[in-house]
Amino acid sequence: MARLDPHSYNDSTQPETETLDWKARVDFRTRRLHAEATLTLKEASAGPLDLDTRDLDIRGVVDAQGRPLPYILSPPEPILGSRLRIELPAGLKQLTVRYRTSPEASALQWLTPSQTAGGQQPFLFSQCQAIHARSVVPLQDTPRIRIRYRASLRVPKQLKSVMAASFVAREEHGVEAEEHYEMPQPVPPYLLAFAVGSLTSKELGPRSRVWAEPEALEDAADEFAGVDDMLKAAESLFGPYDWERFDLLLMPPSFPYGGMENPRLTFLTPTLIAGDKSLVNVVAHELAHSWTGNLVTNASAEHFWLNEGFTVFAERRILEALAGPEVAALHAALGRRSLDEALHHFRAHPQLTALRTHLSGVDPDEAFSQIPYEKGYLLLRALEDAVGRPTFDGFLRRYLAKYRFQALTTEEFVRFTEAELPGALAKVDADAYLNRPGVPPSAPRPTSARLEALEKLRGTVPSQADTKDWTPTEWQLFLESMPTDTSQDVFRELDARFSLTGSRNSEVLVAWLVAALRAGFDAPLGRAEEFLGEVGRMKYLKPLYSVLASSRDHRKVARAAFEKNGARYHPIARQGVELILTRA
Ligand code: BES
Ligand code: ZN
């Protein structure tokens, strides 16, 4: 028995799945998928096959001829879920599991019509990363095992499904529609993704369209109009785009992340719709995952930095190509602030602040932080600075070529880098990034003229002239850098002059609300309460609830807001907020 991924029951001595054929009927009334999953193995074999499941109601397991196969579903473990052990007779290559998902499936959020933009139709979406795919499909839920799949979804006829795959056909039978999809490239299970709702689309370019509820479509199409330029910039940096299409799906407000890099169909939070394209770095990030993450994949959550650190690096290279080095430096500075905050937050768990983590017994959702993103970014920047950009670009291309459609570990990354860039890891003290807590003092620091100008104004009320060229990113940096002892007069004057409480940019708004409330300036409290009812993105819920919960006066406001809105948050977000409130 050999378990290579601490978050999967997969035993590496057992056969691997090659393809999945998945059929599911979406039942909004009972909030269940009635489904069957046919797994075809890479080679015929005999003996036990262990699959990951969570909260699945298994109805039966049969072979290709429909003959029942013996199986045992073990009692659930808190993080891993239940092992489904199927006994394979000699020569078996294909098996089918019939099952229903639970209304509480951790990968699914079922929304009532009132939780959507249109208010008329229900909505369903999946979010499988890191280990939630097993609550939707019984499979080997480890990124080491990639699968190709076909899928068909039966949905109410008035709704449309979308999937992170290639669309094949829609048929209508009575009150239902059946939609067929195919994913010809092998993907890790965490990239299985779909959504169902009142969805329409608009073309953005030859390879992209945006999907959204009709009420939100035009604004989304305007915000993301630049996506084709982004694709071209990314291809000139990282090589040809391998996934044919790069479509976007605008999610309902309860989507717990900024974006999710589902292949061919990136999921995006509606908080990106600022009206001025100022938050499209998130699109650049998810696009960059098409190379780093979706092609070259972390072997488990313990090597998550290989996905996210590389992707932040790639995101900022795309930004630099499109908007220039000053803009990329502003984003790097924001990243450094969020890294320092995360290090502070995890100060009691220093082992979780190394890039290479050890997560047996740790839920990946709880280990999640900005550390793999921003400390990973710093390591790659340090390497780039050490060997020079042209050499590093060559290295990156060879890395992508060598590991495409594969998963790798940090240890394999080290061996590859040592061979390709001899001495570079030692030169930047890579071991300090990979295996030790904190950030080495030698880590690169973003520098730029605009950052220096911002630093000079720290804690003051700038004039209209000072700020006339500021982008929302500069506002965000300025607000996040406000000293905690800034006087109330400064906050009052800032809001009077720049209407920050009315900002349409969610990053600026949250930076403002957090800075003001933390300093005891309560005027925007009402806006904060309102915002907690408008969004479900964890990046905003967590700091807002934390700042409210940290003050005696505001703790009850936080509790009341959670009481009122908690049921509408995504289960992962709800858990995160609950933790903040119980620790307060
Ligand atoms: N893949 C992540 C989101 C994720 C990570 C979901 C871990 C579940 C588990 C995605 O690419 C991401 O990093 N999103 C960021 C975007 C940002 C870094 C630009 C987000 O959601 O804020
Ligand atoms: Zn990412």
Side-chain angles (χ1 to χ4, degrees):
M1 139 107 188
R3 289 221 336 233
L4 297 179
D5 180 340
H7 297 117
S8 172
Y9 287 110
N10 174 244
D11 176 336
S12 62
T13 64
Q14 296 180 359
E16 295 187 355
T17 305
E18 170 126 76
T19 60
L20 163 70
D21 202 325
W22 186 53
K23 297 189 171 68
R25 188 174 155 265
V26 178
D27 186 349
F28 279 97
R29 193 180 56 81
T30 60
R31 298 192 158 188
R32 288 181 195 275
L33 304 180
H34 297 256
E36 59 176 62
T38 298
L39 306 181
T40 305
L41 306 175
K42 284 189 181 139
E43 68 261 4
S45 98
L49 177 72
D50 293 337
L51 302 180
D52 295 297
T53 76
R54 183 184 294 126
D55 297 331
L56 297 182
D57 177 6
I58 306 291
R59 316 309 289 263
V61 183
V62 297
D63 69 9
Q65 286 71 43
R67 289 182 298 239
L69 295 174
Y71 66 88
I72 306 167
L73 186 65
S74 299
E77 299 210 12
I79 299 168
L80 270 71
S82 295
R83 186 188 72 186
L84 175 62
R85 171 164 286 183
I86 302 166
E87 284 301 329
L88 308 182
L92 187 125
K93 219 183 156 192
Q94 195 180 79
L95 58 115
T96 298
V97 184
R98 300 205 181 101
Y99 65 99
R100 305 192 300 200
T101 61
S102 155
E104 272 76 51
S106 61
L108 301 179
Q109 194 181 13
W110 299 83
L111 301 179
T112 61
S114 70
Q115 290 171 274
T116 66
Q120 301 301 313
Q121 299 291 345
F123 199 99
L124 166 65
F125 69 86
S126 68
Q127 166 55 49
C128 289
Q129 198 180 14
I131 54 167
H132 299 290
R134 64 193 64 181
S135 73
V136 178
V137 186
L139 41 59
Q140 294 167 312
D141 194 6
T142 171
R144 287 175 172 275
I145 300 182
R146 307 176 81 93
I147 48 175
R148 300 170 208 274
Y149 70 84
R150 281 171 205 281
S152 62
L153 292 175
R154 269 165 62 194
V155 302
K157 193 165 68 182
Q158 68 278 19
L159 301 183
K160 170 88 193 91
S161 69
V162 287
M163 214 168 173
S166 141
F167 175 75
V168 177
R170 174 179 168 111
E171 298 151 17
E172 296 191 353
H173 326 270
V175 296
E176 283 188 331
E178 183 163 17
E179 302 191 301
H180 302 271
Y181 298 90
E182 185 181 7
M183 176 44 103
Q185 288 108 330
V187 292
Y190 75 81
L191 292 177
L192 282 175
F194 67 98
V196 183
S198 166
L199 288 168
T200 49
S201 70
K202 185 167 174 175
E203 300 301 312
L204 300 175
R207 290 182 279 180
S208 302
R209 65 174 65 94
V210 60
W211 289 94
E213 287 189 71
E215 295 74 11
L217 187 64
E218 287 306 320
D219 287 349
D222 291 345
E223 203 77 34
F224 305 133
V227 67
D228 198 54
D229 293 336
M230 218 177 239
L231 254 166
K232 289 185 199 130
E235 284 190 306
S236 67
L237 287 163
F238 315 121
Y241 180 73
D242 267 305
W243 307 89
E244 291 168 55
R245 297 198 55 88
F246 182 65
D247 293 337
L248 308 176
L249 172 64
L250 190 79
M251 301 299 284
S254 70
F255 186 58
Y257 294 99
M260 177 65 212
E261 66 271 27
N262 297 130
R264 298 173 190 235
L265 183 67
T266 274
F267 288 17
L268 296 168
T269 169
T271 61
L272 301 186
I273 309 298
D276 59 5
K277 305 185 171 68
S278 55
L279 301 175
V280 294
N281 72 293
V282 177
V283 182
H285 178 95
E286 306 316 332
L287 172 61
H289 272 304
S290 305
W291 289 265
T292 50
N294 297 4
L295 266 191
V296 177
T297 307
N298 56 208
S300 77
E302 294 184 330
H303 309 281
F304 185 53
W305 83 273
L306 290 171
N307 274 22
E308 298 300 343
F310 270 89
T311 299
V312 171
F313 180 86
E315 165 197 342
R316 293 195 182 133
R317 288 294 299 276
I318 296 172
L319 278 188
E320 186 183 318
L322 292 173
E326 282 283 343
V327 170
L330 291 171
H331 281 267
L334 276 180
R336 182 60 206 247
R337 287 202 63 84
S338 69
L339 174 58
D340 290 337
E341 243 162 63
L343 291 171
H344 179 73
H345 182 80
F346 279 86
R347 64 196 178 284
H349 305 276
Q351 70 290 357
L352 290 179
T353 74
L355 287 177
R356 202 290 191 213
T357 50
H358 295 273
L359 298 179
S360 289
V362 181
D363 183 336
D365 287 335
E366 278 174 29
F368 180 85
S369 79
Q370 287 306 301
I371 292 162
Y373 291 77
E374 297 296 345
K375 192 175 171 182
Y377 167 75
L378 289 179
L379 169 58
L380 297 170
R381 269 298 302 272
L383 286 169
E384 181 189 36
D385 292 350
V387 302
R389 179 167 279 188
T391 304
F392 193 73
D393 280 358
F395 163 80
L396 207 55
R397 292 276 191 138
R398 290 193 299 282
Y399 171 78
L400 295 172
K402 161 118 193 211
Y403 293 104
R404 51 187 275 117
F405 293 111
Q406 290 178 47
L408 84 160
T409 62
T410 303
E411 294 68 40
E412 287 166 295
F413 160 81
V414 165
R415 280 196 293 278
F416 179 79
T417 309
E418 195 46 46
E420 292 284 332
L421 303 173
L425 290 171
K427 188 166 170 199
V428 304
D429 194 9
D431 187 55
Y433 293 84
L434 297 172
N435 300 312
R436 293 204 291 274
V439 179
S442 62
R445 290 253 164 208
T447 53
S448 87
R450 300 185 83 137
L451 280 172
E452 275 167 39
L454 274 171
E455 187 49 40
K456 291 210 182 81
L457 293 167
R458 184 163 179 263
T460 69
V461 181
S463 67
Q464 299 284 357
D466 291 326
T467 62
K468 75 175 187 320
D469 296 325
W470 279 11
T471 58
T473 310
E474 277 155 308
W475 272 109
Q476 188 187 346
L477 264 170
F478 170 79
L479 293 168
E480 288 184 359
S481 311
M482 300 234 333
T484 39
D485 59 357
T486 304
S487 86
Q488 310 263 322
D489 294 338
V490 169
F491 285 100
R492 195 167 303 112
E493 188 52 32
L494 275 174
D495 209 12
R497 216 176 268 185
F498 302 107
S499 312
L500 294 163
T501 304
S503 177
R504 258 191 85 185
N505 184 292
S506 53
E507 296 287 344
V508 173
L509 177 65
V510 172
W512 163 248
L513 294 173
V514 168
L517 295 170
R518 190 182 51 201
F521 180 67
D522 286 353
L525 183 63
R527 181 66 190 117
E529 279 182 86
E530 199 176 72
F531 193 66
L532 293 173
E534 291 167 8
V535 306
R537 183 176 175 187
M538 284 191 281
K539 183 183 184 192
Y540 301 148
L541 296 183
K542 286 184 178 176
L544 282 172
Y545 275 105
S546 298
V547 71
L548 290 173
S550 68
S551 117
R552 277 174 56 86
D553 297 347
H554 295 156
R555 202 160 301 150
K556 49 185 186 312
V557 177
R559 296 230 159 88
F562 186 59
E563 192 77 16
K564 183 163 160 223
N565 305 308
R568 277 177 288 141
Y569 296 156
H570 189 281
I572 303 175
R574 202 181 307 137
Q575 235 177 51
V577 175
E578 237 157 30
L579 212 62
I580 290 166
L581 294 181
T582 51
R583 284 181 187 163

